[in-house]
Amino acid sequence: MSVVKNSSGVISIPSESNNDLGLFLVFLGLATSFPVRALLNRIYSENAWVDACAPAGIVLVILGFILIRYTRKRFWLDGKSVRVQDGWLKRALRYTWEGDPVIRLRSQDEERGPNTLEFWLVNLVDGKRQYVLDRRVGHHIESRSLAEALAKTINCPVLEKAENGEILIPREELDLPFRERVRKQPELLGGEVSKPDPCPIECEEDENHQRYTWRLLSPAMLNEFFTLVLFVLLLAVVPIFPKPIPGQETVERFQLSFLDIARLQHHFLYFYVSGAIVALTAFFLFGYGKELRAGRKSLDACDRLWGFPVYKASIPADQLEEIWVRQSARGAHLQLISDACIITGRTSNSAAAVWLASRLRRFYGT
């Protein structure tokens, strides 16, 4: 398990704080073992110490892998304070509280160029003060497990992000399944949502089972695909290569395009590579579908590519803890959460995702 609490009460979680140093040591070790050793061997061929470069490089590589693989963030709780140390090289920080503390778990989206990164933050809230105990990209399960472990040790509630605002989960309810939480907090069901029209999600149901299927393809993805095709075509006809001037040794710049090279020199490499990229993108884009089966005993998800399963996940019904929708710049994400697994399904229509979440809440909450 990624979040570990040992017998002395220390909570630890994997950390990436030393990844840069670890990668540098791996690179330095490989460089020392091969190119640097070969260069020194040519310059100082009679010195025996040159042969020590190889084992020294291996040691550096091992140290680098240790820093990458085994660096952890540790939390020591003592009275009304928590001490946090991230890795072996950073100074430990201590946070104290005076009133009744709350552990807050929330997400934060950040735009990084064309991509949207989802950061998960675990905060210690003391009245109007907030301390960031942990912040990491993705890894919702790790952040959620850390928040629950800290709350159980401090004996305080968890303030967790929900679909509509935030929800305060008391200490004694942290391990309850969704069905039990709804009995204690009926507001978790939310209001009943009507099915949008049109709806990209197909539904089949009976008394004890519900099956939902939909395609990953969305209008936004379709626009991106056609933009890719247009870019490939434009790049093929734009003159970006030089052309020799007859009778002279000089060349004239920006005269030939990929299309001209294919037509005059019969070199079709660009069209082979770009055609393969477009075809592969279309293969995944038009053939990828998602299936969700809700039963009384388990919730099962399966992703299929042209009918062939490529991903499967399952959550037992008595371990399902949260059902909510996360909005991002690239669409709506339905998230079905347990301590051991998170099933995520992106839909092209945010209203459809909200409707599906509402249906699942009522199926498992009643």
Side-chain angles (χ1 to χ4, degrees):
M1 187 174 177
S2 57
V3 178
V4 177
K5 183 177 180 180
N6 60 25
S7 56
S8 60
V10 179
I11 300 171
S12 63
I13 187 172
S15 172
E16 298 179 353
S17 61
N18 291 329
N19 276 14
D20 292 340
L21 178 59
L23 291 173
F24 173 74
L25 290 179
V26 170
F27 169 77
L28 183 61
L30 293 175
T32 302
S33 299
F34 299 103
V36 173
R37 178 173 176 271
L39 179 62
L40 293 177
N41 195 36
R42 291 177 64 89
I43 300 175
Y44 306 102
S45 57
E46 297 181 358
N47 290 317
W49 59 268
V50 176
D51 295 333
C53 289
I58 294 174
V59 171
L60 290 175
V61 170
I62 293 174
L63 288 176
F65 277 118
I66 289 175
L67 286 176
I68 294 172
R69 178 63 180 84
Y70 295 103
T71 297
R72 298 184 72 86
K73 192 173 190 177
R74 292 174 171 81
F75 301 83
W76 291 266
L77 290 115
D78 182 19
K80 288 194 171 185
S81 68
V82 55
R83 183 162 59 93
V84 183
Q85 184 168 20
D86 195 357
W88 300 306
L89 307 177
K90 293 185 177 180
R91 181 175 61 91
L93 301 174
R94 182 180 293 275
Y95 303 101
T96 61
W97 61 87
E98 298 175 356
D100 296 325
V102 174
I103 297 296
R104 184 185 187 194
L105 175 65
R106 66 185 183 92
S107 65
Q108 175 181 301
D109 290 339
E110 292 188 9
E111 301 292 336
R112 298 287 179 86
N115 301 319
T116 300
L117 298 181
E118 182 187 20
F119 288 85
W120 282 94
L121 291 86
V122 178
N123 294 348
L124 173 65
V125 181
D126 179 27
K128 295 183 179 180
R129 297 181 296 176
Q130 284 198 55
Y131 307 107
V132 179
L133 301 182
D134 188 65
R135 182 178 185 270
R136 60 188 59 229
V137 180
H139 302 292
H140 184 185
I141 292 180
E142 289 183 357
S143 297
R144 181 183 176 84
S145 299
L146 174 62
E148 291 188 0
L150 290 171
K152 292 174 184 176
T153 305
I154 298 174
N155 194 23
C156 70
V158 172
L159 185 64
E160 184 174 347
K161 178 181 176 181
E163 182 181 340
N164 298 313
E166 293 180 312
I167 241 179
L168 188 67
I169 305 175
R171 159 68 176 85
E172 60 274 9
E173 297 181 14
L174 290 176
D175 292 325
L176 291 180
F178 182 76
R179 184 178 291 112
E180 298 297 327
R181 287 189 181 185
V182 168
R183 290 176 183 173
K184 293 179 176 292
Q185 302 184 49
E187 64 272 15
L188 284 174
L189 279 179
E192 189 170 358
V193 179
S194 59
K195 186 176 181 179
D197 186 24
C199 182
I201 301 176
E202 298 180 2
C203 176
E204 301 175 6
E205 62 179 328
D206 56 33
E207 184 178 352
N208 295 314
H209 294 87
Q210 293 181 353
R211 177 177 178 267
Y212 302 92
T213 57
W214 69 94
R215 293 286 182 182
L216 192 62
L217 181 65
S218 67
M221 288 184 174
L222 197 58
N223 289 336
E224 292 177 0
F225 174 73
F226 286 124
T227 301
L228 172 65
V229 174
L230 181 61
F231 175 78
V232 168
L233 294 177
L234 288 177
L235 189 59
V237 298
V238 173
I240 57 177
F241 298 102
K243 178 180 180 181
I245 299 177
Q248 299 182 22
E249 295 182 357
T250 60
V251 295
E252 191 172 358
R253 300 172 62 188
F254 304 114
Q255 293 298 310
L256 298 177
S257 64
F258 282 112
L259 183 61
D260 295 326
I261 292 176
R263 181 170 52 86
L264 299 174
Q265 303 177 15
H266 303 290
H267 292 164
F268 300 96
L269 180 60
Y270 170 79
F271 294 95
Y272 291 150
V273 174
S274 59
I277 293 175
V278 171
L280 191 62
T281 303
F283 179 77
F284 279 96
L285 195 60
F286 292 96
Y288 204 93
K290 303 184 76 70
E291 179 186 40
L292 199 61
R293 292 180 178 268
R296 295 300 179 186
K297 293 185 178 180
S298 67
L299 180 66
D300 305 304
C302 180
D303 291 4
R304 300 179 185 274
L305 184 63
W306 295 105
F308 294 95
V310 294
Y311 166 80
K312 289 184 178 182
S314 180
I315 297 177
D318 57 357
Q319 295 181 17
L320 179 66
E321 296 185 7
E322 295 287 349
I323 303 172
W324 52 283
V325 176
R326 182 179 66 85
Q327 304 286 347
S328 72
R330 298 186 65 85
H333 299 257
L334 174 72
Q335 294 192 326
L336 311 165
I337 303 168
S338 72
D339 282 339
C341 176
I342 294 180
I343 296 176
T344 300
R346 188 169 73 181
T347 65
S348 59
N349 188 330
S350 60
V354 172
W355 168 76
L356 177 54
S358 175
R359 296 268 301 176
L360 292 173
R361 288 194 191 102
R362 276 159 176 73
F363 183 80
Y364 284 107
T366 57

